[in-house]
Amino acid sequence: VGIGPPAQLAIIHDVSDGIVSGGKAFVSQPRVEVRDAGGNVLEMDSRSAVRISFHSNPSGGVLSPVERSTVILQKGVAQFRNLSIDKAGFGYRMKYYFLEREGTAFVE
């Protein structure tokens, strides 16, 4: 039972939990659920997307590959794959953005 449009992003797994090995894909990739105001996963949404970027970047690392930093939802879930940061470090913090599709483009 849905209660309306997207209202929150629930981070199921975040790569900010611990030390990052430079140049290697994260052992466990980020996973984000898009939920409505009632906390229900928007399982009917396989059209919108979620983008990942840095909130804090203490070692000046680069998130790659860039083309995998935006993921189209599959039944309300964004599962990122093969992401890495080029420099080892601790204290990286990520942020996530919900993107709606308008025609062929995504908007925040």
Side-chain angles (χ1 to χ4, degrees), residues 57-68:
N57 186 355
S59 298
V62 174
L63 184 65
S64 65
V66 172
E67 64 273 8
R68 293 186 182 234

Side-chain angles (χ1 to χ4, degrees), residues 11-106:
I11 301 168
I12 305 306
H13 185 267
D14 187 19
V15 297
S16 299
D17 302 333
I19 297 173
V20 172
S21 297
K24 296 181 182 177
F26 302 128
V27 174
S28 187
Q29 294 288 309
R31 182 178 177 95
V32 178
E33 292 179 345
V34 177
R35 298 181 180 176
D36 64 18
N40 304 298
V41 176
L42 296 177
E43 293 181 359
M44 299 303 287
D45 191 348
S46 291
R47 198 170 147 75
S48 302
V50 173
R51 178 179 296 141
I52 185 173
S53 66
F54 288 109
H55 176 70
S56 66
N57 186 355
S59 298
V62 174
L63 184 65
S64 65
V66 172
E67 64 273 8
R68 293 186 182 234
S69 63
T70 299
V71 174
I72 296 173
L73 300 179
Q74 297 296 315
K75 296 185 177 182
V77 177
Q79 176 64 60
F80 293 88
R81 300 188 193 294
N82 298 318
L83 289 178
S84 65
I85 298 174
D86 67 336
K87 295 181 181 176
F90 184 79
Y92 287 110
R93 295 285 177 244
M94 309 311 289
K95 59 184 171 181
Y96 301 87
Y97 302 92
F98 176 75
L99 305 172
E100 290 186 280
R101 185 182 294 268
E102 286 189 8
T104 59
F106 289 105

